[in-house]
Structure formats: structure tokens, C-alpha cells
Amino acid sequence: MYYQAIAQCTQALRNLETWLDKAEQHAAAKKFDVAVLMSGRLAPDMKPFIYQVQSACDYVKAAAAWLSGQTPPRHEDNEQTIDEIRARIRKTVAFAESVKAAQYAGARERRVSLSWAPGKVLAGPDYLLQMTIPNTYFHVAMAYAILRHSGVDIGKMDFLGPINWIDA
Amino acid sequence: MYYQAIAQCTQALRNLETWLDKAEQHAAAKKFDVAVLMSGRLAPDMKPFIYQVQSACDYVKAAAAWLSGQTPPRHEDNEQTIDEIRARIRKTVAFAESVKAAQYAGARERRVSLSWAPGKVLAGPDYLLQMTIPNTYFHVAMAYAILRHSGVDIGKMDFLGPINWIDA
């Protein structure tokens, strides 16, 4: 389940990447610089779009690494343009997809620490369910909300992405 | 894992309930009717706050029911006030928590249909990971975004709620 859950969080990043194309189309149609959307915020004391994407990427990268017994690769938070943030998503997805199902075999027994919670650790299941999944979806949803609030033509199905329907 | 994952989605609803208190405090401090927040939207063609809460509740209720072999209780979408939406959350949480871990034993093999996807079903793992979790967090995050955008004093830790930290 660890492998499948992280694959689904990775898919959320892939979905997010498709919204960047919609953001570019919206900016072109309305004749404004797409950089405006990249620095867009939902509230003055919330982080901008690019940060939301970086943060979503980091939660996925960290989970794929720590839960498979690896140290996460370091990705600097230096993206400023839409192309740079696209590249950040792609390198995160590439790393997450480099981890095979078998590498998560010991995930349940691992303990994971977070830089912002010194002296504390989380058990594998709690790290997945209370940290990785909520934070990934939080930041992906905030990125969605910023674009949607700014008029970009995205909808719920863009948020969900591909679904493994079976004919009944 | 089904039990734990749905318990965490249920916790997201509990977290949301605490934001209602903050919404009331904000409305009182700024001297406006909290009903304004209940009908708040992020975009004119997005659903309002109350709908976001109803929808989050329904995904949790449906998952707890179908994955444990039950038919979900029917909850009418007739809430209009903050107290009514609080009651909706509470009855959803009560139902979800009435389902015990052992009742999810066959979840992996179940197939679940959705009213808006006629002729299709999802396998248990896909229903959990591609439908229940993303939709629950989507609607909870949109509810968060509406309040946060409107100045309610909530932050990321209110979104995450209680975390099972272990002393390192």
C-alpha cells in the first residue's frame, strides 16, 4: 500500500503539471505574464504558487526516500519561472518513480524525522497518513485554488487525474 | 490500512469542525454575519463553503460504508447554517467511527460504483487512493481556502490536526 499511496501522490504532481499548461493558455488569452500566476497567493500571509508546488514536491520526494530507506536527493528551492517549476515537478516525479515497490518492504517499521519537528519522529504508517498524504494534497490543492481563483480553466477532474475505472 | 486511512480522513473532518469556531470568532470580531462565510466561494463558478463540507462528508461516509460492506446512510444536503453544517460533520464522524477495523477485512476485494460514473466500478484500493482520499482532501482544502482567503485565522497546523509524534 505504501508504494500505491506514494504513486498516487506522485500522480497528483503529474496532474498539477498539466495545470501549468492551462495557466499559460489563460495568461496568453488574457494577455498577461504567466509569472503573475506563479507569484499568486490566496491571502497576503500565505505562500505563493511556486512555493506550494515546491512544498508538494518535497513531501512526495521525502516519502519516497525515507520510506524506502534512502536519503532524499537535495532539490534547492530556487525556481522562479513556470519552466523551472515544471522541471522541479519532473525531477521529483522521476525520483519517486525510481523507487520500486519492493523497496517499501520495511516502510511500516521505519521511523521518520522532520526538520521542523526536532526531537520527534513518526512511525511509518503515521508518516504516510498524517504527514505525506495530507501535506501533498494540501499544497497541490492550494496551487489549484490559486489558479482557479485567478480564472484558469481547471476543474475537479483535472485535480483527480486518471482513474482506474473498470466496466461494471 | 483501510481502517487507518479512513480514520485519518475522518480526522480531517474533525479538524474542519474546529475551523468553524474560528470562522465564528472572525465574523464576530469583524461584525459580519458568519453566513457570509458559509456561502463564500473561491470563484463564481465554484461551489460555496457549505457544499465543500457536505461533499467532504459524503466521500468519508461513502468510503466507510462501501468498504465495510454497508450501504451509506442517507444525509440530505439541506444544511444552510453553521450549526447545521457542524451537525452534518458530527453525524458523518459518528457513522465513520461506528465502523470497526475488522469490518474492513474484505475492503481490498470490494468493487464500488459512484452515482456520477454509471456503468463503471472501482476496485477497493483504487477507490480508496484515487477517489476517497483525493476528494476528501480536495473539499476539505477548498473549505480551508475559502476561510483563509476571507481572513479567518487558521493555518497549516489546523489543517493537519493531531499528529502522533514519538519522542526520538
Side-chain angles (χ1 to χ4, degrees):
Chain A
M1 191 62 108
Y2 288 86
Y3 174 75
Q4 284 176 283
I6 291 168
Q8 199 58 43
C9 288
T10 308
Q11 182 59 49
L13 298 180
R14 285 183 176 283
N15 299 342
L16 204 174
E17 194 189 336
T18 69
W19 312 340
L20 297 177
D21 301 335
K22 300 269 192 109
E24 276 183 327
Q25 291 160 16
H26 182 66
K30 297 284 185 181
K31 299 191 185 357
F32 67 82
D33 188 334
V34 74
V36 175
L37 294 176
M38 298 299 104
S39 60
R41 300 172 194 256
L42 272 189
D45 56 345
M46 280 185 83
K47 300 281 192 181
F49 181 85
I50 282 186
Y51 172 92
Q52 304 294 345
V53 181
Q54 290 167 334
S55 195
C57 285
D58 272 356
Y59 278 104
V60 174
K61 178 188 73 174
W66 297 123
L67 290 173
S68 65
Q70 302 177 70
T71 299
R74 188 170 178 83
H75 292 169
E76 298 293 343
D77 292 328
N78 55 9
E79 291 83 8
Q80 301 199 344
T81 68
I82 193 168
D83 284 335
E84 288 167 354
I85 205 66
R86 216 176 243 126
R88 174 68 172 264
I89 294 172
R90 288 180 186 173
K91 71 182 173 185
T92 303
V93 169
F95 172 72
E97 294 189 342
S98 76
V99 183
K100 303 305 170 201
Q103 293 175 264
Y104 291 107
R108 197 180 169 72
E109 281 71 45
R110 294 193 191 279
R111 300 209 161 185
V112 181
S113 59
L114 285 103
S115 59
W116 52 270
K120 305 285 184 185
V121 294
L122 282 171
D126 291 328
Y127 176 64
L128 180 73
L129 294 173
Q130 298 187 336
M131 194 58 56
T132 303
I133 289 175
N135 275 295
T136 300
Y137 282 112
F138 176 85
H139 290 291
V140 170
M142 290 308 118
Y144 177 98
I146 291 167
L147 298 184
R148 190 70 172 73
H149 179 64
S150 302
V152 175
D153 181 28
I154 50 177
K156 166 72 89 64
M157 297 314 292
D158 297 299
F159 185 86
L160 296 179
I163 295 170
N164 296 336
W165 295 114
I166 301 166
D167 289 328
Chain B
M1 190 62 108
Y2 288 86
Y3 175 74
Q4 285 175 284
I6 291 168
Q8 199 57 44
C9 288
T10 308
Q11 181 60 49
L13 298 180
R14 285 183 177 283
N15 299 341
L16 203 173
E17 193 188 338
T18 69
W19 312 340
L20 297 177
D21 301 336
K22 300 269 192 110
E24 277 184 327
Q25 291 160 17
H26 183 65
K30 296 282 184 182
K31 300 190 184 0
F32 67 82
D33 188 334
V34 73
V36 175
L37 294 175
M38 297 300 103
S39 60
R41 301 172 193 257
L42 272 188
D45 56 345
M46 280 183 84
K47 300 281 191 181
F49 180 85
I50 282 186
Y51 173 92
Q52 303 295 345
V53 181
Q54 291 167 334
S55 196
C57 285
D58 273 356
Y59 278 104
V60 174
K61 177 188 73 173
W66 296 125
L67 290 174
S68 65
Q70 302 178 69
T71 299
R74 187 169 179 84
H75 293 170
E76 298 293 341
D77 292 328
N78 54 9
E79 292 83 7
Q80 300 199 345
T81 69
I82 192 166
D83 285 334
E84 288 168 353
I85 205 67
R86 216 177 241 126
R88 174 68 172 264
I89 294 172
R90 287 179 187 174
K91 70 182 174 185
T92 303
V93 169
F95 173 72
E97 293 187 343
S98 76
V99 183
K100 304 304 170 203
Q103 294 175 264
Y104 291 107
R108 195 180 170 72
E109 282 70 46
R110 294 192 192 279
R111 300 209 162 184
V112 181
S113 59
L114 285 103
S115 59
W116 52 269
K120 305 285 184 186
V121 294
L122 281 172
D126 291 328
Y127 176 64
L128 180 73
L129 293 173
Q130 299 186 335
M131 193 59 54
T132 303
I133 290 175
N135 275 296
T136 300
Y137 282 113
F138 177 85
H139 290 291
V140 170
M142 290 308 118
Y144 176 98
I146 290 167
L147 298 184
R148 190 70 174 74
H149 179 65
S150 302
V152 175
D153 182 28
I154 49 176
K156 167 71 89 64
M157 297 316 291
D158 298 300
F159 185 86
L160 295 180
I163 295 170
N164 295 335
W165 296 113
I166 302 167
D167 289 327

